[in-house]
Amino acid sequence: MLKKGYKLYSILFGKCPRCHQENMYEVKNLYKLKTTLKLNNNCSSCNLKYHLEPSFFTGSMYVSYPIGIAFTVPPFIISHVLCKASLLTTFFAITATLIISLPIIARLSRNLWINFFVNYDKDAVEKNKNKLS
Ligand SMILES: [Zn+2]
């Protein structure tokens, strides 16, 4: 499931959704906050344009909500259920977790969003080479 050809590979590692060869992001380190969401314009292997239409990634906000909820479950269980912490302490644990994982959530939601619309094509790189020559 975590190899080329599966959508999960592209979603988790930020690879081009069509060829799974290149990183979609200019900078791989997602905690460089100035460049966390900066995408390359095109894939250098298959020439997929990442911004499929203007404001394309605005729709990823819909996806980031359930991903954010999923990120709040573990701190809730650990602090409130296992450690019997108060609701206020649990709230701070959840808030801290969300702040720390914000770049991860933002990238995951973008990766998931573009993978809704673009499918893997194992011949995409060859098709692009043929088109160029
Ligand atoms: Zn590509």
Side-chain angles (χ1 to χ4, degrees):
M1 293 253 315
L2 282 180
K3 57 185 179 180
K4 285 182 185 176
Y6 290 94
K7 283 194 180 280
L8 198 57
Y9 176 79
S10 170
I11 292 166
L12 291 179
F13 299 108
K15 298 292 182 181
C16 168
R18 188 157 67 189
C19 69
H20 293 187
Q21 299 278 333
E22 304 285 327
N23 280 325
M24 289 195 302
Y25 298 94
E26 287 180 3
V27 178
K28 201 170 183 181
N29 183 357
L30 49 87
Y31 279 97
K32 286 189 173 180
L33 297 178
K34 282 187 176 177
T35 57
T36 297
L37 296 178
K38 282 202 171 175
L39 286 163
N40 295 316
N41 287 331
N42 292 23
C43 173
S44 59
S45 297
C46 71
N47 204 28
L48 173 71
K49 188 178 169 191
Y50 294 131
H51 290 275
L52 300 179
E53 59 188 33
S55 303
F56 172 71
F57 286 105
T58 306
S60 68
M61 288 190 303
Y62 300 112
V63 180
S64 72
Y65 184 72
I67 292 174
I69 296 296
F71 272 73
T72 62
V73 172
F76 174 78
I77 290 173
I78 290 169
S79 66
H80 194 66
V81 177
L82 297 179
C83 297
K84 309 278 188 226
S86 68
L87 280 177
L88 186 65
T89 307
T90 304
F91 170 77
F92 286 120
I94 289 171
T95 304
T97 303
L98 282 177
I99 290 171
I100 291 169
S101 58
L102 189 65
I104 300 169
I105 294 170
R107 276 203 179 176
L108 273 179
S109 58
R110 279 184 167 219
N111 299 346
L112 190 61
W113 186 249
I114 196 169
N115 270 280
F116 282 147
F117 300 97
V118 181
N119 290 322
Y120 176 69
D121 181 2
K122 65 180 180 182
D123 302 323
V125 177
E126 288 182 31
K127 286 177 188 171
N128 186 45
K129 281 180 186 171
N130 292 338
K131 198 184 282 182
L132 292 176
S133 59

